[in-house]
């Protein structure tokens, strides 16, 4: 018997934590990017933050599709 293996409930708890953390972090990053874009409106400094916002939306959609089983 492998006495150092993690128990299944602990592994599922860690997986659930990661599953909930990534979309929440994407929302925080996306909203932060929107706030920064609004601060730098009309400036060249706004464009990289628009890219970060787009990345956070794409990452959130990937997480949702992966969770729902539609992403193969």
């Amino acid at each position: 018997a492998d006495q150092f293996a993690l128990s299944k409930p602990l592994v599922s708890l860690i997986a659930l934590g990661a599953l909930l953390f990534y979309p929440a972090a994407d929302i925080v990053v996306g909203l932060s990017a929107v706030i920064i874009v609004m601060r730098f409106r009309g400036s060249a400094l706004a464009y990289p933050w628009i890219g970060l916002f787009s990345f956070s939306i794409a990452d959130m959609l990937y997480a949702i599709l992966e969770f729902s089983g539609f992403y193969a």
Side-chain angles (χ1 to χ4, degrees):
D2 189 7
Q3 58 186 346
F4 297 108
L6 292 174
S7 65
K8 288 188 183 226
L10 179 61
V11 171
S12 11
L13 183 63
I14 292 171
L16 179 64
L19 187 68
L20 295 175
F21 172 76
Y22 280 108
D26 285 334
I27 290 170
V28 169
V29 168
L31 289 176
S32 300
V34 167
I35 291 169
I36 292 172
V37 164
M38 293 179 80
R39 291 272 186 181
F40 291 120
R41 190 177 348 183
S43 170
L45 293 174
Y47 296 116
W49 298 105
I50 293 171
L52 182 64
F53 175 72
S54 301
F55 175 77
S56 69
I57 295 296
D59 194 37
M60 191 176 0
L61 288 175
Y62 169 75
I64 291 169
L65 288 174
E66 183 70 31
F67 176 72
S68 65
F70 286 121
Y71 193 84

